[in-house]
Amino acid sequence: MSGGANFKERTVQNVLLQFFKDDRTKVNAEALNLVTELLNIFVSEAVLRTINEAKKDHQDQIPLDYFEKILPQLLLDF
């Protein structure tokens, strides 16, 4: 993915493993690839929507308020 978020699969795997109750639980390569791609798309979309929201108000900087404003719809869309 160019120009957007770019999480490493190893990082995503480590995060996922933190939430598994059973230490024997594993993530196969295909699932890891899909979750990584979903996170990349989700974060890229969040950034894009936040920037667009700030542009509507002619802002040069983007305070956290703009992210908070787009978050409910973003979560519904995903």
Side-chain angles (χ1 to χ4, degrees):
M1 177 172 217
S2 175
N6 194 15
F7 291 100
K8 294 179 182 172
E9 284 189 359
R10 183 73 178 148
T11 302
V12 173
Q13 182 178 26
N14 287 335
V15 170
L16 288 174
L17 292 175
Q18 296 298 312
F19 292 95
F20 292 151
K21 304 264 188 241
D22 188 346
D23 290 339
R24 296 174 293 173
T25 303
K26 304 215 184 299
V27 180
N28 73 27
E30 186 177 355
L32 183 58
N33 187 359
L34 289 171
V35 171
T36 302
E37 185 62 23
L38 178 64
L39 281 172
N40 287 331
I41 293 168
F42 182 83
V43 170
S44 296
E45 185 67 21
V47 170
L48 181 63
R49 290 183 188 195
T50 303
I51 290 170
N52 287 339
E53 197 63 37
K55 280 183 179 179
K56 288 179 187 175
D57 291 340
H58 308 290
Q59 294 289 321
D60 292 335
Q61 294 187 354
I62 304 171
L64 187 58
D65 298 358
Y66 288 98
F67 174 69
E68 292 170 348
K69 191 173 182 180
I70 63 97
L71 189 57
Q73 187 61 50
L74 179 68
L75 292 173
L76 287 172
D77 291 344
F78 276 82

